[in-house]
Amino acid sequence: MKIGILGTGHIGKTLVRKLSAAGNEVKVANSRGPDTINEEILVHGARAVTSAEALIDVDVVILSTPLRAIPQIAPLFADVPAGTVVIDTSNYYPGRDGEIAAIKAGQTESEWVAGQLGRPIAKAWNAITSASFAEKGVAAGRPGRIAIPIAADGVREREIATALVDETGLDAVYSGPLSESWCQQPGAPSYCTDLTREELPAALAATDRSRLPKRRDLAIEAIAERVGDSTTNPDSDYAVRLTRVLFM
């Protein structure tokens, strides 16, 4: 499959490595230009390109950028064919992204992204810590394999997201349409708690939407206190222990 990835942050760089290692033809871009992309993530054949080039002649585009970057990225999609599947990995953190009135008023993060792009999307890989994603993926069928939720309105978006999640060493559990994707947003029991395929459906069903912002902000405060700021990611064991205590 031909895949364009925008973003080389904590999740994006692991997506590049894993999806290219699985045999996909991967192009990757960031906001600073191809010369700034670390060659270590290109080891399995991925190519560093410009953001515009990453969206040309691909089957799938994966957005792995902060949510605040989406409006600036949106114009790049003007000439992207309607058949190209778009998968978004972002999450809303007001301290980083600024206040987004529509999301604060109740629109799901995924619906907001789809609206900015003017096209359907799937949401995946947003509900796992970068450390767990990089370190804990295993082959299908292995006991204890981590599962992550995916949301999508369309069957094709759902099927392709499911297949690619599997290629990155995780199980995919469908969480519903984008309108219900709040159940995989920060603060939810399914968010970064490293549950299995058998455990995840109950966590999704137990989500109390009204409590998500407070739980999200508590986790940010706890992580900042531990590591000294809100941008450094903690190790996976600490992060999962914390999210299980606060979110489940």
Side-chain angles (χ1 to χ4, degrees), residues 5-20:
I5 298 176
L6 297 184
T8 54
H10 295 300
I11 295 293
K13 63 185 180 183
T14 299
L15 283 167
V16 172
R17 286 198 297 262
K18 291 193 173 190
L19 291 174
S20 56

Side-chain angles (χ1 to χ4, degrees), residues 67-214:
L67 198 74
R68 66 174 183 269
I70 298 296
Q72 287 72 50
I73 290 170
L76 296 175
F77 283 85
D79 297 321
V80 175
T84 302
V85 170
V86 180
I87 306 174
D88 177 50
T89 75
S90 64
N91 293 298
Y92 177 48
Y93 283 97
R96 177 196 65 191
D97 299 314
E99 184 173 307
I100 298 176
I103 294 177
K104 188 174 181 180
Q107 187 177 39
T108 68
E109 298 165 7
S110 301
E111 290 176 305
W112 184 83
V113 171
Q116 293 295 308
L117 300 182
R119 60 188 300 140
I121 67 166
K123 184 160 188 169
W125 294 293
N126 77 296
I128 185 168
T129 68
S130 58
S132 289
F133 185 33
E135 301 164 7
K136 297 182 179 180
V138 297
R142 289 278 298 277
R145 194 187 203 209
I146 294 172
I148 60 169
I150 62 167
D153 292 338
V155 173
R156 186 162 182 263
E157 286 81 9
R158 173 181 174 179
E159 290 178 346
I160 288 181
T162 297
L164 293 179
V165 165
D166 177 70
E167 289 185 6
T168 62
L170 308 170
D171 285 330
V173 172
Y174 180 58
S175 64
L178 299 185
S179 61
E180 297 177 11
S181 60
W182 49 265
C183 64
Q184 66 190 76
Q185 291 179 180
S190 65
Y191 186 78
C192 298
T193 47
D194 283 9
L195 303 179
T196 65
R197 176 187 291 276
E198 293 73 28
E199 296 168 327
L200 189 53
L204 292 167
T207 308
D208 182 345
R209 189 175 187 179
S210 66
R211 301 178 69 182
L212 301 186
K214 184 175 182 178

